[in-house]
Amino acid sequence: MTDLDYLKLAIEQAKKSVACGGFPAGAILVKDNKIISSGISIGFKLNDPTSHAETCSIREACKELETIDLSRTIMYSSMEPCLMCFSVANWVGVSKVVFACKKTESMIKKGYYEGANSLDDINKLNNRQIEIVYIKDFEGEVLNLINEWEKSI
C-alpha cells in the first residue's frame, strides 16, 4: 500500500469519528506496512481533552505492542496534527507523520487548534525530528467532511 492508500484509511476513521458523534479527525499507525492501530476523535463525548485521533491511535498501539517505543512507525492523519498529538508522536518515536488537510486560520479561530504553531518550526527545535509530509490530494474531501460536521452541531 502507498501513503495515499493509508491516508484514505485515516479519512475513513474521520468519517467514523463523525458517525460516533466526534470531531471529524481520524488517524492510523503503520509499522512495517501493517496497520497497528487506529483512532477517532471523541474527546468531547468522553470528557477527555486528550482523546484526539492521533493520540488515541498511539495509546492503542502502545497497549497492543506493550511498549512505548513506536520507532519506525508512520502516522497517517486526516488533518494536520495539533501540537499535543505531534508531541506525543515525538515522545514515542514515530518517524513520519503524513496528513491530508492543513490547519487554516478559520480552524484556529474556531478552536480546532491550540494556535498558529508551525509543526515544521517546532520539529526543528526538537531533539529528534519527525519527517512531516503533507499530501493535499484529499484536502477537499476532508474540508467537506468538516463543513458537514459543522452544520450538524
PDB file of all heavy atoms in Angstrom, residues 19 24 36 56 58 61 71 74 83 94 105 107 129 144:
ATOM      1  N   ALA A  19     -19.552   9.782  12.716  1.00  0.00           N
ATOM      2  CA  ALA A  19     -20.682   8.867  12.920  1.00  0.00           C
ATOM      3  C   ALA A  19     -20.868   8.513  14.395  1.00  0.00           C
ATOM      4  O   ALA A  19     -21.978   8.232  14.830  1.00  0.00           O
ATOM      5  CB  ALA A  19     -20.482   7.594  12.091  1.00  0.00           C
ATOM      6  N   PRO A  24     -14.373  15.561  13.343  1.00  0.00           N
ATOM      7  CA  PRO A  24     -14.027  14.893  12.081  1.00  0.00           C
ATOM      8  C   PRO A  24     -12.526  14.719  11.842  1.00  0.00           C
ATOM      9  O   PRO A  24     -11.960  15.252  10.889  1.00  0.00           O
ATOM     10  CB  PRO A  24     -14.663  15.803  11.032  1.00  0.00           C
ATOM     11  CG  PRO A  24     -14.656  17.145  11.649  1.00  0.00           C
ATOM     12  CD  PRO A  24     -14.886  16.917  13.117  1.00  0.00           C
ATOM     13  N   ILE A  36      -1.197  -0.980  12.716  1.00  0.00           N
ATOM     14  CA  ILE A  36      -1.123  -1.479  14.089  1.00  0.00           C
ATOM     15  C   ILE A  36      -2.177  -0.853  14.998  1.00  0.00           C
ATOM     16  O   ILE A  36      -2.450  -1.388  16.063  1.00  0.00           O
ATOM     17  CB  ILE A  36       0.287  -1.309  14.690  1.00  0.00           C
ATOM     18  CG1 ILE A  36       0.732   0.144  14.670  1.00  0.00           C
ATOM     19  CG2 ILE A  36       1.281  -2.202  13.987  1.00  0.00           C
ATOM     20  CD1 ILE A  36       2.044   0.393  15.414  1.00  0.00           C
ATOM     21  N   CYS A  56      -5.126   8.802  20.435  1.00  0.00           N
ATOM     22  CA  CYS A  56      -5.826   7.526  20.656  1.00  0.00           C
ATOM     23  C   CYS A  56      -5.159   6.387  19.896  1.00  0.00           C
ATOM     24  O   CYS A  56      -5.021   5.282  20.430  1.00  0.00           O
ATOM     25  CB  CYS A  56      -7.288   7.644  20.241  1.00  0.00           C
ATOM     26  SG  CYS A  56      -8.276   8.651  21.352  1.00  0.00           S
ATOM     27  N   ILE A  58      -2.048   6.223  19.117  1.00  0.00           N
ATOM     28  CA  ILE A  58      -0.786   5.947  19.809  1.00  0.00           C
ATOM     29  C   ILE A  58      -1.042   5.119  21.070  1.00  0.00           C
ATOM     30  O   ILE A  58      -0.342   4.140  21.328  1.00  0.00           O
ATOM     31  CB  ILE A  58      -0.042   7.259  20.131  1.00  0.00           C
ATOM     32  CG1 ILE A  58       0.497   7.885  18.841  1.00  0.00           C
ATOM     33  CG2 ILE A  58       1.087   7.019  21.139  1.00  0.00           C
ATOM     34  CD1 ILE A  58       1.017   9.298  18.989  1.00  0.00           C
ATOM     35  N   ALA A  61      -1.785   1.553  20.038  1.00  0.00           N
ATOM     36  CA  ALA A  61      -0.584   0.855  19.563  1.00  0.00           C
ATOM     37  C   ALA A  61       0.318   0.463  20.733  1.00  0.00           C
ATOM     38  O   ALA A  61       0.842  -0.654  20.767  1.00  0.00           O
ATOM     39  CB  ALA A  61       0.175   1.729  18.574  1.00  0.00           C
ATOM     40  N   SER A  71       9.173   3.377  17.371  1.00  0.00           N
ATOM     41  CA  SER A  71      10.157   3.692  16.333  1.00  0.00           C
ATOM     42  C   SER A  71       9.771   3.020  15.021  1.00  0.00           C
ATOM     43  O   SER A  71       9.206   1.928  15.022  1.00  0.00           O
ATOM     44  CB  SER A  71      11.545   3.198  16.743  1.00  0.00           C
ATOM     45  OG  SER A  71      11.945   3.790  17.940  1.00  0.00           O
ATOM     46  N   ILE A  74       4.752   4.971  11.169  1.00  0.00           N
ATOM     47  CA  ILE A  74       4.256   6.101  10.393  1.00  0.00           C
ATOM     48  C   ILE A  74       2.826   6.392  10.832  1.00  0.00           C
ATOM     49  O   ILE A  74       2.000   5.476  10.918  1.00  0.00           O
ATOM     50  CB  ILE A  74       4.282   5.822   8.885  1.00  0.00           C
ATOM     51  CG1 ILE A  74       5.702   5.487   8.432  1.00  0.00           C
ATOM     52  CG2 ILE A  74       3.730   7.013   8.103  1.00  0.00           C
ATOM     53  CD1 ILE A  74       5.798   4.991   6.999  1.00  0.00           C
ATOM     54  N   LEU A  83      -0.523  20.399  18.233  1.00  0.00           N
ATOM     55  CA  LEU A  83       0.767  20.373  18.924  1.00  0.00           C
ATOM     56  C   LEU A  83       0.841  19.234  19.947  1.00  0.00           C
ATOM     57  O   LEU A  83       1.867  18.567  20.068  1.00  0.00           O
ATOM     58  CB  LEU A  83       1.005  21.723  19.603  1.00  0.00           C
ATOM     59  CG  LEU A  83       2.339  21.920  20.297  1.00  0.00           C
ATOM     60  CD1 LEU A  83       3.497  21.678  19.352  1.00  0.00           C
ATOM     61  CD2 LEU A  83       2.404  23.322  20.884  1.00  0.00           C
ATOM     62  N   VAL A  94       7.564   8.057  16.765  1.00  0.00           N
ATOM     63  CA  VAL A  94       7.005   7.984  15.414  1.00  0.00           C
ATOM     64  C   VAL A  94       8.005   8.640  14.465  1.00  0.00           C
ATOM     65  O   VAL A  94       8.539   9.712  14.753  1.00  0.00           O
ATOM     66  CB  VAL A  94       5.626   8.701  15.351  1.00  0.00           C
ATOM     67  CG1 VAL A  94       5.164   8.886  13.918  1.00  0.00           C
ATOM     68  CG2 VAL A  94       4.589   7.921  16.151  1.00  0.00           C
ATOM     69  N   GLU A 105      -6.500  29.335   9.180  1.00  0.00           N
ATOM     70  CA  GLU A 105      -6.776  30.411  10.136  1.00  0.00           C
ATOM     71  C   GLU A 105      -8.183  30.252  10.708  1.00  0.00           C
ATOM     72  O   GLU A 105      -8.410  30.448  11.902  1.00  0.00           O
ATOM     73  CB  GLU A 105      -6.617  31.774   9.455  1.00  0.00           C
ATOM     74  CG  GLU A 105      -6.555  32.934  10.410  1.00  0.00           C
ATOM     75  CD  GLU A 105      -5.337  32.889  11.332  1.00  0.00           C
ATOM     76  OE1 GLU A 105      -4.246  32.480  10.892  1.00  0.00           O
ATOM     77  OE2 GLU A 105      -5.497  33.267  12.507  1.00  0.00           O
ATOM     78  N   MET A 107      -9.873  27.451  11.140  1.00  0.00           N
ATOM     79  CA  MET A 107      -9.872  26.336  12.094  1.00  0.00           C
ATOM     80  C   MET A 107      -9.273  26.777  13.428  1.00  0.00           C
ATOM     81  O   MET A 107      -9.750  26.368  14.487  1.00  0.00           O
ATOM     82  CB  MET A 107      -9.071  25.157  11.539  1.00  0.00           C
ATOM     83  CG  MET A 107      -9.702  24.446  10.375  1.00  0.00           C
ATOM     84  SD  MET A 107      -8.560  23.151   9.811  1.00  0.00           S
ATOM     85  CE  MET A 107      -9.293  22.701   8.262  1.00  0.00           C
ATOM     86  N   GLN A 129      13.839  14.761  15.120  1.00  0.00           N
ATOM     87  CA  GLN A 129      12.886  15.272  14.140  1.00  0.00           C
ATOM     88  C   GLN A 129      12.046  14.134  13.552  1.00  0.00           C
ATOM     89  O   GLN A 129      12.535  13.026  13.366  1.00  0.00           O
ATOM     90  CB  GLN A 129      13.603  16.005  13.001  1.00  0.00           C
ATOM     91  CG  GLN A 129      14.026  17.424  13.344  1.00  0.00           C
ATOM     92  CD  GLN A 129      15.181  17.463  14.332  1.00  0.00           C
ATOM     93  OE1 GLN A 129      16.198  16.826  14.113  1.00  0.00           O
ATOM     94  NE2 GLN A 129      15.006  18.167  15.429  1.00  0.00           N
ATOM     95  N   ASN A 144     -14.678  19.197   3.206  1.00  0.00           N
ATOM     96  CA  ASN A 144     -16.127  18.946   3.060  1.00  0.00           C
ATOM     97  C   ASN A 144     -16.674  18.208   4.277  1.00  0.00           C
ATOM     98  O   ASN A 144     -17.772  18.515   4.754  1.00  0.00           O
ATOM     99  CB  ASN A 144     -16.414  18.153   1.788  1.00  0.00           C
ATOM    100  CG  ASN A 144     -16.285  18.987   0.542  1.00  0.00           C
ATOM    101  OD1 ASN A 144     -16.377  20.210   0.578  1.00  0.00           O
ATOM    102  ND2 ASN A 144     -16.054  18.334  -0.582  1.00  0.00           N
TER     103      ASN A 144
END
